[in-house]
Amino acid sequence: MSLLSVQGLSVRIGALDILRDVSFEMEPGEVLGLVGESGSGKSITALGIMRLLPEVMSVEGAILLQGEALDQLSERRMCARRGRDVGMVFQEPMTALNPLHTIGDQVAETVRLHTRTGRRAARQRAREVLDRVGLEHIGLARFPHELSGGQRQRVVIACAIALAPKLLIADEPTTALDVTTQGEILDLLRRLVREDGMGLILITHDLAVVAEMADRIAVMQSGRIVERGLVNEVLHRPTHDYTRALLAASRHQPVRAARAEAATVLDVRDVVRSYPGTRRLLGRAPPVEAVRGVSFSLHQGENLGLVGESGSGKSTLARALLGLEPVQGGCITLGGQVMDAAAPRALRRRIGVVFQDPFGSFDPRWTVERLIAEPFHLLDNAPPRRPAVEEVLRSVGLQPRDADRHIHAFSGGQRQRIAIARALIIRPDVILLDEAVSALDVQVRAQILDLLAELSAKFEVSYLFISHDLSVVRAITDRVMVMQAGRIVESGQTEAVFAAPRQAYTRQLLAATPRLPDGIAT
């Protein structure tokens, strides 16, 4: 008997089909990679298995867990299965966890909901499970906001496996994590599958992760499974055009013209950024140096990458470059002028920024026209707003009529194009891109990388590309810097650093990066 059998699962809202005849089976101890673009139906499939779809959606088909028809259970009986027999790890741990409850209480809650365990025994079980997911030194009384992203994801996994479920569904569990933390989470999931014999559905848009983790793969497009099979067979001999397109996008490198040495537009010399130490009973702890003596130059039209783990100082350095945080040592000059918190508007307009989450960086009440034109406050003589917005929308591959819409009406890739348009509209010398493509599907990511390369050539704008995705950095940058504990530990031409890294830390980052196997069809 198979562990999970999904037979003809179809979901619709009114006359709109969301899922169409989705069918697959899993065995105990098997890892199934469910891949596809955003909107392909991956998460809806997971929520359908969990019976968590909104009531407005009509559902057809059968879902059997070890022969038991989950689709026939009452809500009360299904509640008893969730957490005990089927667990789920959500993409964003900070929203999956309750910020008002300690992590110990949240893991213990899962135990107490499904067993007759007392409070003390439930907390003891929570301690055991948190130890098992690698949080031995984290107290039960800690709150989610006190943990790093990787630690929060481990807490979510602990909640999901507290009762040793037969099936675990992990929905993009590593999307926002740096490469070493991602590797640790994937190793943890792999170990849990091996030790508990549970089945794992791994939902992701990263084919390299699937290649390393999964036994079988199912490729979804527009609510259907268009291809399935053993991972090596599908990756090396794909039969569907959509699968081949995903593989090609995963290895895509934008065409970029070679550049001659150009003038320096951004110069950073011996920059130090520190924070006061925390208060203690007998005074303060020593200051924390987030950035320690960082120096580099960025030339006109150059693409420079900055990589490192979470906490290495990348974002702190970015805020200092934007003049949003003071530095305690060193100097930042942009176009020969000092860039700091007192920098005039005329200097600030020369550097733009594209954030990781475009939706979170926009006011949802404003039209796209107003959002894109927001940087005009940095100009003394701003051009007519509407023509300028329409021109920059065309530059990023959108339509002039999009200026009248609101941000919620766009896809993730379109929102990122709008974010790039906002940074570009006042023609800065430098654009700082902070994890600008980390959450995008592989095909959308390839389009955005092509767009950035095109805009760089057209406007001679320089990019500082901050990312934990080394494959993206390799595809888009001329030079790369590796940051660890507030210092630049290695730098050089991108291909030279990736091909022959000198530092052990750089080799560690490269080793932790999932890769597609050689010889796959693209």
Side-chain angles (χ1 to χ4, degrees):
M1 180 185 298
S2 61
L3 170 65
L4 176 70
S5 177
V6 178
Q7 303 170 2
L9 180 61
S10 297
V11 177
R12 64 178 56 87
I13 302 177
L16 178 63
D17 288 326
I18 308 298
L19 291 184
R20 292 177 286 177
D21 195 29
V22 171
S23 300
F24 61 87
E25 292 193 354
M26 288 183 62
E27 300 300 325
E30 183 179 42
V31 178
L32 173 68
L34 197 57
V35 302
E37 295 176 287
S38 295
S40 62
K42 307 187 301 296
S43 295
I44 292 293
T45 300
L47 294 175
I49 295 170
M50 296 288 291
R51 294 271 307 276
L52 291 175
L53 293 172
E55 292 184 2
V56 69
M57 293 183 176
S58 61
V59 182
E60 298 176 357
I63 304 167
L64 286 79
L65 184 67
Q66 291 188 327
E68 182 180 30
L70 299 184
D71 56 289
Q72 300 298 318
L73 298 180
S74 66
E75 178 59 21
R76 182 175 181 178
R77 293 180 63 192
M78 187 63 204
C79 282
R81 301 296 185 274
R82 298 189 195 106
R84 191 187 70 186
D85 296 325
V86 185
M88 188 160 181
V89 178
F90 295 93
Q91 178 174 356
E92 178 46 64
M94 198 58 184
T95 57
L97 296 172
N98 189 327
L100 302 179
H101 290 188
T102 65
I103 62 172
D105 286 343
Q106 294 187 63
V107 178
E109 181 185 22
T110 303
V111 179
R112 299 193 69 195
L113 281 174
H114 295 283
T115 66
R116 295 183 177 180
T117 305
R119 181 182 297 274
R120 178 176 295 181
R123 287 182 65 82
Q124 178 60 35
R125 176 58 181 164
R127 180 70 272 168
E128 293 171 0
V129 176
L130 288 171
D131 290 350
R132 191 179 181 204
V133 299
L135 297 178
E136 302 92 340
H137 305 297
I138 303 297
L140 298 182
R142 300 282 288 275
F143 287 87
H145 71 270
E146 298 178 290
L147 307 180
S148 69
Q151 290 171 332
R152 286 195 289 263
Q153 194 64 286
R154 289 173 185 268
V155 174
V156 173
I157 293 172
C159 292
I161 67 160
L163 296 173
K166 302 178 181 72
L167 174 67
L168 181 64
I169 303 173
D171 190 358
E172 299 281 6
T174 62
T175 296
L177 304 179
D178 60 60
V179 289
T180 51
T181 305
Q182 172 182 259
E184 292 168 359
I185 295 298
L186 294 177
D187 286 342
L188 170 62
L189 292 173
R190 191 182 292 113
R191 177 168 58 83
L192 293 172
V193 169
R194 183 179 66 251
E195 293 176 355
D196 294 355
M198 68 181 181
L200 171 64
I201 298 178
L202 181 61
I203 298 173
T204 182
H205 61 253
D206 192 332
L207 288 172
V209 169
V210 171
E212 291 194 359
M213 284 287 296
D215 303 302
R216 300 177 66 84
I217 185 174
V219 183
M220 294 196 72
Q221 180 189 29
S222 302
R224 294 181 182 274
I225 292 180
V226 297
E227 186 162 1
R228 78 191 81 196
L230 296 173
V231 167
N232 284 335
E233 291 182 2
V234 171
L235 293 183
H236 287 88
R237 292 178 293 277
T239 59
H240 198 278
D241 289 342
Y242 180 69
T243 309
R244 286 192 284 267
L246 290 180
L247 288 168
S250 296
R251 288 190 159 178
H252 178 74
Q253 288 193 323
V255 177
R256 297 170 49 245
R259 292 183 177 277
E261 186 73 17
T264 298
V265 291
L266 178 67
D267 191 61
V268 178
R269 286 288 163 256
D270 302 318
V271 164
V272 175
R273 173 59 174 141
S274 62
Y275 298 95
T278 56
R279 289 185 179 276
R280 292 178 176 175
L281 184 62
L282 300 176
R284 282 188 176 273
V288 177
E289 285 195 343
V291 177
R292 301 188 288 172
V294 168
S295 299
F296 66 90
S297 296
L298 178 63
H299 303 103
Q300 183 178 10
E302 183 183 31
N303 294 354
L304 177 62
L306 179 62
V307 301
E309 296 174 287
S310 296
S312 61
K314 304 189 305 297
S315 294
T316 301
L317 177 60
R319 290 192 295 271
L321 296 177
L322 292 167
L324 300 178
E325 291 198 10
V327 297
Q328 283 72 45
C331 183
I332 301 169
T333 57
L334 180 60
Q337 296 179 267
V338 175
M339 183 67 179
D340 57 20
R345 290 184 303 159
L347 182 59
R348 289 183 177 276
R349 66 156 293 276
R350 300 182 67 175
I351 184 167
V353 60
V354 178
F355 297 101
Q356 178 176 358
D357 178 11
F359 191 71
S361 65
F362 289 134
D363 190 326
R365 300 168 295 179
W366 289 6
T367 64
V368 166
E369 177 182 348
R370 187 176 177 186
L371 291 172
I372 291 178
E374 185 180 7
F376 277 178
H377 76 277
L378 296 172
L379 303 179
D380 293 326
N381 297 300
R385 187 165 84 173
R386 184 69 183 205
V389 169
E390 291 183 353
E391 179 186 355
V392 78
L393 280 172
R394 281 190 288 264
S395 295
V396 298
L398 296 175
Q399 299 298 318
R401 62 177 179 272
D402 291 329
D404 298 318
R405 303 169 71 189
H406 288 78
I407 198 66
H408 69 266
F410 296 89
S411 68
Q414 289 171 325
R415 289 172 189 161
Q416 203 62 288
R417 289 174 182 266
I418 293 169
I420 294 170
R422 180 174 63 177
L424 192 65
I425 194 167
I426 56 176
R427 299 293 187 266
D429 298 322
V430 177
I431 294 181
L432 191 156
L433 299 110
D434 190 1
E435 302 285 5
V437 298
S438 63
L440 300 179
D441 304 319
V442 288
Q443 293 200 94
V444 177
R445 183 182 70 185
Q447 294 167 9
I448 296 297
L449 293 180
D450 282 340
L451 172 65
L452 291 172
E454 177 186 337
L455 295 175
S456 177
K458 182 177 180 180
F459 298 110
E460 293 191 333
V461 63
S462 305
Y463 295 139
L464 178 58
F465 210 105
I466 300 173
S467 180
H468 63 252
D469 190 332
L470 273 66
S471 62
V472 169
V473 170
R474 189 171 194 171
I476 194 68
T477 63
D478 305 297
R479 289 189 297 126
V480 64
M481 303 182 297
V482 182
M483 197 167 188
Q484 181 188 26
R487 298 185 185 276
I488 303 297
V489 297
E490 186 163 0
S491 64
Q493 296 297 313
T494 300
E495 280 304 317
V497 170
F498 277 69
R502 300 185 304 273
Q503 296 294 322
Y505 179 69
T506 310
R507 292 193 290 270
Q508 177 187 343
L509 292 180
L510 291 170
T513 304
R515 294 180 180 84
L516 285 169
D518 294 331
I520 66 167
T522 55

